[in-house]
Amino acid sequence: ILIVVICLCIYFAYFYVADENDSYTSEYLAKEDDKYITLNDFTAHYIVKGEGEPLVLIHGGGSWLFSYRNNMEELSKYYKVYAVDMPGHGYTTSNTKVKYDLDTYADFLKEFLDSQKISKARIVGHSWGGGWALYFTEKYPQMVSQLALLDSSGLDRPDQSEWKYFEYPMIGEIISKCINKNNTKNSLKNMFVDQSMITDLYVEEIYTPLSYQDNRKAQVLAQRNLNWKITEENVEKVTQSTLIIFGDKDCYFDKKYQDELHSKLQKSKLIVIENTSHMPHEEKYEYIDSLLLEFFRENK
């Protein structure tokens, strides 16, 4: 019986192909002029709006540029806003086998910016996206003028979320195959205080690209290969003015974590948003837009 169980686990983890949500076509993208560009290792999916100095929006893990749908309209009145699906997320696809480590994300972002002829930009990053933005700033400091981190990763602390199980061989692969619409919805409920935001349409938009085979694999590999020890070791070298925004009811990080990040960054400002969980730029997007615009104007 034990041998049979082990064989079934191996099959499910490494050979079974989970269903993709191919019955849904994004209603959001149907209304947007989204674009694709072929880079060395990826075909990047992105949206660009507005005119002026570049502002780049980086979504969090398990999400995609859809997360900034309500922010782009206001921000694009003042900046040329780029929202891009990062490797292993959304509708960006890989052209080769990659590690999904910090260098994967930093080098992808540099190549994307180079393709858009952007030599320097303001960057906003949420959750993992904040950690990727922070590492990008450490690796390519000349390309970042200002930085905003929303409920951001970046410090080397034990992961207390459900994502930590992706770190275990075979178990992570099995869990990734079990991602479905229902448990995606349950996970999203933890990220919002206002539960009315978790509509069926919202779940469809988040779950659909998350269900793709390559993206399932990427979540596992990223959890295993993103080494936040590297970002923490170099965070004090970051000289760009940085805004840290934190929801006081965040389901992944506590206030102590954000206080530490604030204390380690040379030129940072911390703003705590009350009665808000892990998605402040979605849950209170108008307020977050105003904070970002004010910070960018006053901290050049």
Side-chain angles (χ1 to χ4, degrees):
I1 293 175
L2 179 59
I3 293 173
V4 170
V5 170
I6 292 173
C7 289
L8 287 174
C9 289
I10 292 173
Y11 167 76
F12 193 78
Y14 300 108
F15 299 101
Y16 171 74
V17 178
D19 291 338
E20 296 185 353
N21 193 33
D22 54 9
S23 63
Y24 178 77
T25 301
S26 173
E27 291 189 15
Y28 166 68
L29 291 180
K31 303 173 185 177
E32 297 291 337
D33 181 23
D34 58 325
K35 305 176 186 298
Y36 290 86
I37 187 167
T38 300
L39 308 175
N40 285 332
D41 295 332
F42 300 93
T43 297
H45 174 245
Y46 68 102
I47 288 176
V48 57
K49 287 187 175 185
E51 297 295 334
E53 297 177 357
L55 170 61
V56 181
L57 307 178
I58 304 177
H59 61 79
S63 189
W64 59 292
L65 63 80
F66 171 77
S67 184
Y68 288 108
R69 66 201 176 282
N70 293 322
N71 308 99
M72 281 187 273
E73 202 63 43
E74 180 67 17
L75 296 176
S76 64
K77 295 177 182 178
Y78 305 91
Y79 299 99
K80 190 169 186 177
V81 178
Y82 295 81
V84 58
D85 286 342
M86 297 297 280
H89 295 76
Y91 297 90
T92 286
T93 56
S94 61
N95 306 322
T96 185
K97 188 175 181 179
V98 292
K99 291 182 65 177
Y100 295 104
D101 59 4
L102 287 171
D103 286 311
T104 297
Y105 292 97
D107 295 343
F108 165 86
L109 186 55
K110 181 181 186 302
E111 192 177 355
F112 174 74
L113 295 182
D114 288 344
S115 76
Q116 304 301 305
K117 297 181 171 52
I118 299 173
S119 59
K120 198 167 195 174
R122 295 171 174 86
I123 298 182
V124 177
H126 167 246
S127 195
W128 267 5
W132 298 332
L134 184 60
Y135 182 68
F136 179 81
T137 305
E138 295 170 355
K139 187 171 184 178
Y140 301 108
Q142 75 282 0
M143 299 189 72
V144 182
S145 57
Q146 292 172 295
L147 189 61
L149 307 176
L150 315 178
D151 291 71
S152 174
S153 304
L155 299 181
D156 184 33
R157 302 291 181 273
D159 193 338
Q160 301 302 317
S161 73
E162 66 270 21
W163 290 73
K164 65 184 177 182
Y165 298 108
F166 282 168
E167 297 173 7
Y168 302 104
M170 190 159 65
I171 294 176
E173 281 77 7
I174 290 174
I175 294 174
S176 74
K177 303 290 179 67
C178 293
I179 295 174
N180 58 38
K181 202 177 300 183
N182 187 56
N183 55 41
T184 297
K185 183 176 184 177
N186 290 333
S187 180
L188 288 169
K189 286 181 178 179
N190 296 326
M191 301 183 194
F192 290 89
V193 172
D194 182 2
Q195 295 292 293
S196 68
M197 300 194 71
I198 315 300
T199 64
D200 290 341
L201 182 61
Y202 182 85
V203 175
E204 292 278 11
E205 292 283 3
I206 295 298
Y207 171 64
T208 297
L210 190 58
S211 73
Y212 296 161
Q213 306 307 319
D214 286 347
N215 289 355
R216 289 180 189 267
K217 294 175 184 176
Q219 308 308 305
V220 176
L221 292 174
Q223 179 66 21
R224 292 173 182 172
N225 295 332
L226 291 173
N227 185 359
W228 301 118
K229 182 178 181 180
I230 298 173
T231 52
E232 182 168 5
E233 287 176 346
N234 293 283
V235 68
E236 294 178 0
K237 299 177 183 178
V238 173
T239 59
Q240 286 83 351
S241 59
T242 304
L243 175 63
I244 302 171
I245 293 176
F246 173 69
D248 67 339
K249 299 187 185 305
D250 190 294
C251 57
Y252 294 135
F253 304 111
D254 58 19
K255 178 66 162 45
K256 180 180 178 182
Y257 184 100
Q258 299 299 321
D259 285 338
E260 286 188 57
L261 186 59
H262 174 41
S263 68
K264 290 178 180 293
L265 283 160
Q266 289 188 36
K267 296 167 63 177
S268 65
K269 177 180 181 179
L270 172 62
I271 298 178
V272 178
I273 312 299
E274 294 184 357
N275 201 36
T276 306
S277 187
H278 190 62
M279 313 289 277
H281 60 296
E282 295 198 43
E283 195 159 19
K284 297 184 177 177
Y285 63 89
E286 292 178 328
Y287 182 43
I288 299 304
D289 290 346
S290 67
L291 291 177
L292 291 171
L293 291 170
E294 180 182 11
F295 180 79
F296 291 149
R297 282 194 302 266
E298 297 180 354
N299 294 271
K300 294 182 178 180

